[in-house]
Amino acid sequence: MSELRRYRRLPDQYVVAIPLRLDTDGFSYRKWGGEQQCKPGDWLVDDDGDIHTVDADVFAATYSQIRRGAYVKSTPVWAEFAHEAGSVATKEGRTSYNKGDVIVFNNEDGTDGYAMTAERFNSRYEPDE
């Protein structure tokens, strides 16, 4: 793996999100090459058509509301470009990635990770150093 670099989300790149405040035990769904789990209180996020869930504690710690239903990621991320295909454990399950995709972490120590294509990452993030 390469060294992680710090990035920030572009300020005009917001998501639409709602908390899952329903009487449910949660649900599972298939995405990113694996089975994902959603718990009560997690957030349902629409990131420009990429629909997924985010752990409630992670959402509270990393997103800020800009208006009703719209949020921006307000904390930096650390990322690296994948040198080979693989997968990363997430709070929701596992995310598969291909060579050249970007592995993104909410924490500088390389924890709380996920992955996305380089095209998607480059359209949403910029270096923060």
Side-chain angles (χ1 to χ4, degrees):
M1 287 192 161
S2 61
E3 185 173 318
L4 296 176
R5 288 190 60 197
R6 182 177 159 141
Y7 295 87
R8 66 175 169 242
R9 183 119 174 170
L10 296 169
D12 64 339
Q13 293 294 311
Y14 68 91
V15 300
V16 175
I18 58 168
L20 185 61
R21 292 186 187 136
L22 300 172
D23 183 12
T24 177
D25 293 331
F27 58 87
S28 61
Y29 60 101
R30 289 176 297 283
K31 188 161 182 84
W32 302 306
E35 179 122 345
Q36 311 299 316
Q37 301 294 320
C38 176
K39 305 174 301 301
D42 286 355
W43 286 71
L44 184 60
V45 174
D46 179 349
D47 184 3
D48 195 26
D50 182 22
I51 312 294
H52 56 90
T53 59
V54 175
D55 177 85
D57 292 337
V58 170
F59 193 89
T62 61
Y63 281 86
S64 298
Q65 187 173 23
I66 56 173
R67 62 180 178 274
R68 185 181 173 127
Y71 298 83
V72 293
K73 190 155 195 166
S74 55
T75 57
V77 298
W78 288 262
E80 64 184 346
F81 288 83
H83 295 286
E84 59 187 33
S87 67
V88 60
T90 71
K91 300 263 185 190
E92 293 76 26
R94 282 198 87 75
T95 298
S96 298
Y97 56 83
N98 295 311
K99 180 181 178 180
D101 287 349
V102 182
I103 309 164
V104 185
F105 301 95
N106 284 320
N107 302 317
E108 188 174 7
D109 65 0
T111 57
D112 192 14
Y114 51 98
M116 66 178 67
T117 65
E119 179 181 354
R120 190 168 194 84
F121 181 80
N122 290 329
S123 71
R124 286 163 173 69
Y125 290 91
E126 64 184 359
D128 188 34
E129 297 180 287

